[in-house]
Amino acid sequence: MQPSEPVGRKRVKPVVIAVAITGSVPRKTDNPAVPITPTEQIESTRQAFEAGATLVHIHVRNDDETPSSDPERFAAVQAGIVRHCPGMIIQFSTGGRGRDPSQRSSALALRPDMASLATGSVNFPAIVYENHTVLVEEMADKMRELGIRPEIEIFDLSHLHSARRLVDKGLLDEQPHIQFVLGVQNALPAEERLLDILLKEAKHLFPNCTWTAAGIGRQQAKVMDWALARGADAVRTGLEDNIRTNKERLASSNAELVEHAVLAVERHGHRIATPEEARALLGCQPVAIP
């Protein structure tokens, strides 16, 4: 249990640190620390959890490192994290890079705490990340039925209004958790004024939403600082988005990137959220008592 705040002192805000451990793109040739196998992913997550992360965003890979939708691989990673990272929020990716659209939600039957949900299409450097309205609604409905908390992925201003339509159809609740993604080539650049525009519109459409922002590549630390300065409920780090600590050096692990995030949170006068606080803040089920 966290100690109570001293009388007369301003309450320190707890901030969730999310770690995106693998993603669909980086390979071992890019950074040997990228965890590919379920065993590597479990161990990398354990290290990140011990460093301060309380939410893990999971992609799984085939043995040749290509993106996979295999529920057995998701199940193996999920079981290992539950065993070694008590209370950590487990979030599955339903992202479409390199995955058959019909299989993107196949692992949701495992009932992770959360799952990503992109509400519109966007240009990536080499592909169109296609999120057809029918597919988005089907995935949102499946998450609702299974009690999985969505994280709404926003690559464009219009995606906020697509999310609003999901709420109006009863597929999302009025307090979504929203992630703004900045710095993807051909999508929204990482500019501070754009985060302000996105955040203002999100709060207009969803006054009670929680939110975070992800900066891609060298933009990661900068976007994290912008988000923390604006009272973000969470920050995101990890080898999916950024394989370096600086221009000259590769990150040694997801845990090292989490350590940098912890320092950023503390530098802004906040503290890292416990698993219990993270679950309450993001609307997930409480930690199960054995």
Side-chain angles (χ1 to χ4, degrees):
M1 179 181 296
Q2 294 292 318
S4 59
E5 299 291 344
V7 175
R9 180 179 294 179
K10 182 180 179 182
R11 184 176 183 274
V12 179
K13 178 184 175 68
V15 175
V16 179
I17 295 181
V19 59
I21 56 172
T22 302
S24 297
V25 176
R27 306 292 182 97
K28 293 282 191 183
T29 53
D30 300 311
N31 184 329
V34 176
I36 300 298
T37 68
T39 298
E40 289 175 341
Q41 290 185 315
I42 293 164
E43 176 58 20
S44 187
T45 302
R46 182 191 65 78
Q47 294 172 5
F49 177 74
E50 292 178 355
T54 47
L55 185 157
V56 58
H57 177 71
I58 299 168
H59 292 247
V60 295
R61 302 281 191 94
N62 297 308
D63 292 340
D64 64 359
E65 300 191 39
T66 57
S68 174
S69 296
D70 185 355
E72 291 187 4
R73 290 184 179 244
F74 275 106
V77 177
Q78 181 183 37
I81 293 171
V82 169
R83 184 165 60 251
H84 295 291
C85 309
M88 191 175 202
I89 296 171
I90 297 174
Q91 181 189 97
F92 287 176
S93 171
T94 65
R97 198 191 306 249
R99 299 169 70 184
D100 181 341
S102 68
Q103 297 300 309
R104 283 169 52 181
S105 63
S106 59
L108 294 182
L110 297 167
R111 295 178 183 265
D113 300 297
M114 298 185 75
S116 61
L117 181 66
T119 56
S121 300
V122 63
N123 288 335
F124 281 171
I127 66 166
V128 175
Y129 178 21
E130 187 173 352
N131 291 289
H132 191 282
T133 301
V134 173
L135 175 64
V136 173
E137 290 183 357
E138 288 175 349
M139 290 196 295
D141 190 41
K142 192 168 186 177
M143 291 179 200
R144 181 185 59 80
E145 289 180 354
L146 294 172
I148 299 167
R149 187 88 175 127
E151 177 179 80
I152 309 303
E153 309 297 335
I154 302 299
F155 295 89
D156 184 82
L157 185 65
S158 64
H159 297 174
L160 285 168
H161 289 269
S162 298
R164 180 67 245 180
R165 286 190 289 273
L166 294 176
V167 173
D168 294 341
K169 290 184 176 183
L171 299 174
L172 296 179
D173 64 38
E174 289 281 357
Q175 192 175 340
H177 180 57
I178 295 171
Q179 175 164 262
F180 306 115
V181 184
L182 300 173
V184 174
Q185 186 180 346
N186 299 332
L188 284 171
E191 296 187 13
E192 195 168 7
R193 63 183 178 83
L194 294 180
L195 179 58
D196 285 331
I197 292 168
L198 291 166
L199 182 57
K200 182 178 180 180
E201 191 68 8
K203 289 294 186 178
H204 171 72
L205 295 169
F206 310 106
N208 298 314
C209 69
T210 55
W211 70 280
T212 183
I216 306 304
R218 61 187 177 85
Q219 315 292 349
Q220 187 173 80
K222 180 168 63 175
V223 171
M224 189 180 301
D225 276 331
W226 296 343
L228 288 167
R230 288 158 175 77
D233 301 286
V235 293
R236 170 161 149 156
T237 190
L239 291 168
E240 172 175 352
D241 300 338
N242 175 34
I243 60 172
R244 296 182 175 275
T245 55
N246 57 50
K247 187 177 180 180
E248 289 75 31
R249 193 172 77 81
L250 294 172
S252 62
S253 63
N254 277 299
E256 183 179 19
L257 293 175
V258 170
E259 290 167 0
H260 285 280
V262 170
L263 292 174
V265 169
E266 293 174 345
R267 187 170 64 250
H268 283 268
H270 309 312
R271 63 176 174 81
I272 59 173
T274 65
E276 293 81 5
E277 289 172 329
R279 287 174 172 273
L281 185 63
L282 301 186
C284 297
Q285 292 295 318
V287 176
I289 299 176

